[in-house]
């Protein structure tokens, strides 16, 4: 069927809305008609809601009763490519279409006429009286030719208060004008000179650019040790996409990372790209959304949901640190931005670059199978060499109770302090202590709403639940037995480790880096810059530091507990530990001084620890792949996690049991159901959670079977069901 592209006034159109309905609704096309894909406002009961014209109306009811589309919004209609993409993601993740549309329209006031703001230019009149401040303002305006400034920009450039500018406006020496806020982004120039590349880098760039020029879909795994120049290399692929007039998207896992990255983009292309992340203002989000659709944002740097922006001609998606778990969205629509990037690119003929020093087993396996091209950068740029990795066998260390820095690690840190170099002590646990125990009755303080222990945050002087975020003051008496003064912290978190480091190295300057210690991304960024400039002898950090920051003076990484994530119930525990340890170790020795990484472990002979230490990555992956293949788990089998939750545990289990009994649609594809069982975290925010796991052979149509399996369910009351295809975490 050739899709009808335009509907005349009064013709019935099917509109997909953002409201949770299981179908499209019919409306009459408004005056002037509308295009397929048009963003529209439609009446729904007493309300006006956002929708997209999805096709011809279904009809089958009294036409006289049909209501009209209220208006067509002044934004580019949704392209066919995007409609297809949303539909496929919906099918893949078993998400209803309205939720997909909400994900694709996460910018408020999309259809509003662009709001205006004041801008300032050089006026024609002379001010009656000149002051130094006034002279500076006029000089700035003259220096920049015809350029307009916002009030804040102009005052800052000239180093004056805004009242000085306003005074000049009154005199006519500065002109004030209204200008639309949603301005196009400044042009990026791909032909500005880039850095001179090494032979390795140049070879990788040549391959990527050739792929880019082909104009066809293709995915490349760009694997390179930390500091090998992956970013430099993929920026050249971005340049090629821009030269071809296509748009590029760079996905990054952490907001904190973007600051350094934006500066690099600006250095390479002469202007900053558009940014899309949760920290952006509403106005900024709307500007990005609109400009991307009009092709007036050439490059977007963003978090995972940027993948759902309405690009006019997306030619390249880079997924940096592609193994990062934050690419998997775990509430609302459960999607993996990495996998959906590949899907989107295959629909619109774009290239994908998956960059990582420690790729996910999924991507490694796809490269092995020839589905992805693989490019390796094997050496660090310049003089930097990879750190030497060594275990510290904790069974042989003399430890005082309540301490975690072994004598061997202590000595290594001392050496660095003497040489004026930095050390990083890594522990992947926020707060002061993971457990607060009553020494009288043995009670461990738990959250009232979750099946989780409260974590002491001494910095905040509170206990916090890491599941629901609930906090409460540290009690003096045990909430269970009422005995006073017996509550004691057990185990280390980052704050407690910092305390130990302060006591052990009183002469050292110590900096803590943990996501919860900074009020804003900006404060965190400032701290990171201070540290990079050398303003700390010892950095104590959580996972946050593993991600891409450059600390040139850092030559020692001490991992406090390398065994910590080794024994999760998670099928990816080994992979995660391997990636995390190698990423963290990669922080050492980035500049001209060689680095060392010391891993405190009770099991130096554990195969994963041995693989980390030996650096035999291919060996590790092959062994891990063989294990997963034998167990039939991802990426060699398919999995889905089903979580049922409700205020009472009984009814939730009843549904779970009924599902397990009625598993015919799953058996039809040779899939197995495990459970129901209490989820590893059996209660969150007062809701009891029961989990079923579905395991199916690779290539089995698991979504289809699950859809048929859950379709007959009638969930009563407050019971909810979520499906997570290819789950990344099992909680
Ligand atoms: P990765 O992304 O692999 O960690 P980067 O691209 O961040 O590596 O490179 C590491 C450091 O080396 C950066 O400071 C980068 O600017 C620098 N660098 C890499 N390649 C070159 C090059 N060819 N010329 C100059 N500097 C380079
Ligand atoms: Zn809680």
């Amino acid at each position: 069927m050739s899709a009808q592209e335009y509907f005349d006034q009064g013709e019935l159109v099917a509109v997909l809305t953002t409201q949770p309905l299981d179908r499209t609704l019919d409306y009459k096309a408004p005056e002037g008609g509308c295009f397929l894909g048009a963003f529209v406002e439609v009446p729904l009961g007493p309300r006006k809601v956002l929708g997209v014209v999805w096709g011809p109306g279904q009809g089958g009811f009294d036409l006289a009763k049909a209501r009209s589309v209220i208006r067509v919004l002044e934004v580019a209609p949704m392209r066919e490519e995007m409609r297809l993409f949303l539909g496929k993601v919906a099918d893949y993740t078993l998400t209803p279409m309205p939720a997909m549309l909400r994900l694709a329209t996460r910018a408020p006031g999309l259809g509003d006429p662009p709001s205006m703001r004041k801008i300032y230019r050089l006026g024609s009149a002379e001010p009656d009286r000149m002051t130094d401040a006034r002279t500076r303002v006029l000089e700035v305006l003259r220096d920049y030719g015809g350029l307009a400034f916002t009030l804040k920009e102009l005052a800052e450039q000239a180093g004056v208060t805004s009242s000085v500018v306003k005074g000049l406006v009154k005199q006519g020496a500065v002109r004030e004008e209204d200008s639309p806020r949603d301005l196009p982004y400044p042009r990026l120039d791909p032909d500005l000179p880039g850095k001179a590349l090494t032979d390795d880098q140049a070879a990788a760039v040549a391959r990527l650019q050739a792929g880019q020029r082909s104009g066809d879909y293709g995915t490349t795994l760009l694997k390179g040790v930390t500091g090998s120049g992956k970013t430099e290399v993929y920026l050249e692929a971005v340049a090629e996409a821009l030269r071809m007039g296509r748009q590029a998207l760079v996905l990054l896992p952490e907001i904190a990372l973007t600051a350094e990255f934006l500066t690099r983009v600006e250095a390479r292309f002469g202007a900053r790209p558009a940014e899309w992340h949760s920290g952006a203002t509403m106005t900024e989000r709307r500007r990005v959304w609109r400009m991307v659709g009009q092709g007036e944002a050439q490059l977007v740097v963003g978090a995972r949901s940027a993948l759902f922006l309405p690009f006019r001609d997306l030619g390249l998606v880079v997924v940096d640190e592609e193994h990062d778990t934050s690419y998997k969205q775990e509430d609302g629509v459960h999607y993996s931005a990495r996998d959906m990037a590949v899907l989107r690119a295959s629909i619109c003929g774009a290239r994908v670059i998956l960059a990582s020093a420690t790729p996910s087993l999924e991507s490694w396996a796809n490269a092995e199978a020839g589905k992805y091209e693989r490019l390796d950068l094997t050496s660090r740029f310049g003089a930097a060499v990879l750190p030497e990795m060594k275990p510290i066998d904790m069974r042989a260390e003399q430890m005082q109770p309540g301490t975690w820095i072994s004598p061997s690690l202590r000595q290594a840190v001392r050496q660095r302090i003497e040489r004026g170099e930095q050390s990083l002590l890594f522990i992947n646990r926020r707060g002061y202590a993971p457990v607060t125990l009553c020494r009288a009755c043995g009670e461990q303080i738990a959250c009232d709403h979750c099946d989780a222990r409260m974590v002491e945050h001494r910095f905040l002087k509170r206990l916090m639940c890491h599941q629901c975020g609930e906090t409460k003051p540290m009690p003096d008496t045990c909430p269970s037995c009422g005995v006073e003064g017996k509550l004691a912290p057990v185990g280390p978190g980052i704050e407690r480790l910092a305390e130990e480091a302060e006591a052990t190295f009183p002469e050292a300057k110590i900096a803590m880096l943990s996501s919860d210690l900074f009020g804003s991304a900006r404060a965190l960024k400032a701290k990171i810059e201070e540290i990079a400039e050398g303003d700390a002898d010892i950095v104590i950090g959580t996972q946050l530091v593993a991600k891409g920051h450059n600390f040139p003076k850092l030559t020692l990484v001490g991992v406090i507990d390398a065994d910590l994530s080794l024994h999760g119930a998670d099928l990816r525990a080994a992979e995660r530990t391997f990636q995390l340890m190698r990423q963290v170790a990669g922080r050492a020795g980035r500049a001209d001084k060689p680095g060392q990484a010391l891993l405190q472990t009770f099991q130096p002979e554990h195969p994963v620890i041995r693989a980390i230490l030996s650096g035999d990555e291919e060996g590790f992956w092959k062994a891990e792949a063989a294990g997963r293949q034998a167990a039939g788990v991802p990426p060699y089998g398919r999995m889905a996690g089903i979580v049922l939750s409700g205020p009472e545990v009984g009814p939730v289990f009843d549904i779970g049991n009924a599902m397990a009994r009625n598993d015919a649609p799953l058996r039809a594809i040779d899939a197995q159901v495990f459970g129901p069982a209490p989820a590893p975290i059996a209660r969150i925010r007062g809701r009891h959670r029961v989990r079923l796991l579905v395991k199916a052979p690779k290539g089995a149509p698991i979504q289809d079977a699950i859809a048929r399996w859950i379709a007959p369910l009638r969930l009563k009351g407050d019971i909810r069901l979520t499906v997570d295809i290819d789950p990344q975490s099992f909680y």
Side-chain angles (χ1 to χ4, degrees):
M1 182 193 89
S2 91
Q4 185 180 352
E5 289 288 333
Y6 181 79
F7 301 90
D8 284 323
Q9 177 174 359
E11 244 185 293
L12 269 194
V13 292
V15 173
L16 173 69
T17 70
T18 51
Q19 302 305 300
L21 306 164
D22 57 5
R23 62 198 161 85
T24 55
L25 299 173
D26 282 357
Y27 291 93
K28 284 193 268 194
E31 193 183 331
C34 60
F35 282 100
L36 182 64
F39 284 87
V40 293
E41 202 170 74
V42 293
L44 188 69
R47 288 188 302 156
K48 294 178 186 173
V49 302
L50 177 69
V52 170
V53 175
W54 211 253
Q58 315 276 300
F61 61 95
D62 182 4
L63 263 186
K65 293 214 173 107
R67 299 172 80 179
S68 265
V69 167
I70 299 169
R71 67 183 179 110
V72 176
L73 307 185
E74 277 176 42
V75 294
M78 189 185 280
R79 289 172 186 80
E80 185 185 5
E81 168 249 316
M82 189 68 173
R83 295 199 302 277
L84 258 172
F85 176 56
L86 294 183
K88 287 199 174 187
V89 177
D91 290 346
Y92 193 90
T93 59
L94 290 171
T95 304
M97 281 307 287
M100 291 309 312
L101 183 58
R102 281 199 295 279
L103 191 55
T105 52
R106 289 228 304 231
L110 281 187
D112 300 349
S115 66
M116 304 299 269
R117 64 172 173 184
K118 304 270 184 235
I119 54 165
Y120 298 83
R121 294 178 197 281
L122 199 58
S124 46
E126 284 293 319
D128 54 1
R129 162 179 74 78
M130 280 309 257
T131 61
D132 276 358
R134 286 181 166 185
T135 312
R136 283 206 299 279
V137 172
L138 297 180
E139 267 172 14
V140 166
L141 289 173
R142 278 188 206 109
D143 279 356
Y144 284 88
L147 222 63
F149 289 78
T150 63
L151 185 55
K152 186 161 163 279
E153 286 164 354
L154 182 53
E156 261 170 26
Q157 279 286 329
V160 303
T161 61
S162 50
S163 59
V164 176
V165 178
K166 292 275 182 172
L168 286 167
V169 171
K170 266 194 207 119
Q171 309 254 312
V174 171
R175 222 165 62 217
E176 184 182 79
E177 296 168 7
D178 286 317
S179 141
R181 238 176 238 284
D182 296 343
L183 295 174
Y185 286 86
R187 299 298 293 176
L188 304 186
D189 183 355
D191 294 322
L192 289 176
K195 295 197 169 108
L197 300 174
T198 65
D199 289 350
D200 256 16
Q201 292 172 344
V205 166
R207 293 280 287 280
L208 291 172
Q209 292 190 333
Q212 204 62 52
R213 279 192 299 270
S214 77
D216 293 331
Y217 158 75
T219 295
T220 304
L221 174 60
L222 176 62
K223 182 182 170 310
V225 293
T226 323
S228 57
K230 293 184 295 298
T231 312
E232 298 298 338
V233 166
Y234 73 63
L235 283 179
E236 294 312 309
V238 169
E240 194 65 14
L242 301 189
R243 272 184 213 113
M244 295 175 67
R246 301 186 76 181
Q247 291 166 296
L249 168 63
V250 175
L251 294 177
L252 298 173
E254 276 274 328
I255 299 177
L257 254 182
T258 61
E260 184 190 343
F261 185 77
L262 295 174
T263 318
R264 283 176 78 167
V265 169
E266 191 171 4
R268 173 62 185 83
F269 299 117
R272 288 166 90 84
E275 285 172 69
W276 179 268
H277 53 74
S278 53
T281 63
M282 292 303 167
T283 343
E284 195 58 16
R285 285 172 85 89
R286 199 181 66 155
R287 177 179 175 211
V288 177
W289 197 94
R290 292 176 68 114
M291 290 308 129
V292 160
Q294 294 172 21
E296 311 218 58
Q298 295 158 285
L299 171 62
V300 178
V301 176
R304 61 184 177 223
S305 64
L307 194 59
F308 294 92
L309 285 169
F311 289 93
R312 196 175 72 169
D313 183 9
L314 185 59
L316 170 66
V317 186
V318 177
V319 184
D320 200 356
E321 310 282 350
E322 67 94 32
H323 62 279
D324 197 279
T325 51
S326 70
Y327 284 122
K328 180 69 192 275
Q329 159 114 347
E330 295 193 318
D331 46 41
V333 184
H334 291 61
Y335 69 93
S336 152
R338 177 191 68 218
D339 298 350
M340 296 307 112
V342 170
L343 174 64
R344 183 160 189 184
S346 70
I347 295 174
C348 66
R351 309 297 291 189
V352 178
I353 299 175
L354 306 176
S356 176
T358 53
S360 60
L361 188 70
E362 271 84 357
S363 297
W364 178 83
N366 277 327
E368 285 288 286
K371 283 192 212 160
Y372 297 170
E373 182 184 18
R374 175 166 160 181
L375 296 175
D376 281 53
L377 297 174
T378 48
S379 53
R380 285 186 155 186
F381 177 74
V385 288
L386 278 174
E388 173 200 28
M389 302 249 245
K390 281 212 248 165
I392 293 178
D393 186 344
M394 295 301 279
R395 294 168 305 190
E397 297 283 323
Q398 296 292 317
M399 300 297 293
Q400 297 295 318
T403 67
W404 289 273
I405 305 172
S406 65
S408 304
L409 182 55
R410 225 185 288 156
Q411 196 196 343
V413 173
R414 283 241 159 75
Q415 247 179 27
R416 297 314 188 286
I417 299 177
E418 280 158 18
R419 286 195 229 141
E421 297 170 10
Q422 286 176 327
S423 305
L424 165 68
L425 298 181
F426 175 80
I427 184 159
N428 202 14
R429 252 195 204 141
R430 294 182 290 136
Y432 184 80
V435 176
T436 301
L437 177 81
C438 172
R439 294 228 183 270
C441 73
E443 169 84 358
Q444 300 182 358
I445 299 189
C447 176
D448 296 335
H449 317 284
C450 305
D451 180 21
R453 290 178 295 218
M454 297 288 270
V455 178
E456 182 183 355
H457 282 246
R458 208 159 267 198
F459 194 73
L460 301 171
K461 298 195 177 60
R462 292 180 86 80
L463 291 163
M464 184 190 289
C465 170
H466 286 184
Q467 292 309 317
C468 70
E470 171 89 347
T471 69
K472 56 186 176 194
M474 187 72 184
D476 297 323
T477 59
C478 171
S480 175
C481 69
V483 172
E484 204 183 319
K486 286 284 176 191
L487 292 174
V490 179
I494 176 175
E495 295 174 14
R496 196 171 191 187
L497 187 63
E499 196 178 84
E500 183 183 342
E502 272 157 23
T504 314
F505 312 103
E507 73 283 15
K509 178 149 192 199
I510 294 175
M512 257 200 283
L513 273 183
S514 172
S515 54
D516 54 342
L517 297 176
F518 296 87
S520 66
R522 177 168 307 176
L524 177 60
K525 187 200 147 205
K527 186 75 192 179
I528 288 172
E529 275 169 10
E530 270 174 44
I531 294 174
E533 277 155 27
D535 191 29
D537 302 309
I538 302 175
V539 184
I540 311 230
T542 60
Q543 185 149 0
L544 186 72
V545 294
K547 299 183 180 175
H549 308 295
N550 266 319
F551 298 130
K553 297 203 170 109
L554 190 82
T555 59
L556 172 71
V557 170
V559 175
I560 296 302
D561 187 353
D563 310 333
L564 189 60
S565 55
L566 217 45
H567 297 290
D570 190 327
L571 71 96
R572 294 185 176 82
E575 180 186 350
R576 293 270 158 75
T577 306
F578 183 79
Q579 288 163 342
L580 189 57
M581 292 302 121
R582 294 202 52 96
Q583 294 272 340
V584 173
R587 299 297 112 213
R590 297 221 5 153
D592 46 349
K593 296 195 183 77
Q596 189 182 45
L598 299 175
L599 276 59
Q600 297 193 153
T601 172
F602 283 93
Q603 324 170 59
E605 67 292 327
H606 190 289
V608 174
I609 301 289
R610 288 230 306 260
I612 293 167
L613 294 171
S614 71
D616 177 14
E617 294 174 79
E618 296 297 320
F620 171 77
W621 275 323
K622 288 210 175 88
E624 185 63 16
R628 298 234 200 130
Q629 201 146 21
V633 296
Y636 303 98
R638 305 211 52 196
M639 256 191 181
I642 316 280
V643 171
L644 289 157
S645 68
E648 304 291 337
V649 70
V652 178
F653 251 106
D654 290 346
I655 295 184
N657 281 317
M659 288 175 73
R661 277 194 307 274
N662 301 315
D663 63 345
L666 297 177
R667 268 184 287 124
I669 61 158
D670 285 329
Q672 289 170 283
V673 186
F674 299 89
I681 301 170
R683 197 166 58 110
I684 296 183
R685 294 191 178 87
R687 297 178 67 83
H688 294 271
R689 307 171 75 243
V690 167
R691 193 184 64 172
L692 296 123
L693 268 183
V694 177
K695 236 178 91 180
K698 193 175 169 72
I702 192 171
Q703 286 90 345
D704 203 53
I706 290 176
R708 274 182 287 128
W709 184 42
I710 63 179
L713 292 179
R714 293 289 163 261
L715 299 178
K716 281 194 226 73
D718 197 12
I719 293 182
R720 282 200 295 267
L721 176 145
T722 61
V723 181
D724 187 356
I725 302 286
D726 311 332
Q728 286 287 317
S729 63
F730 298 79
Y731 65 94

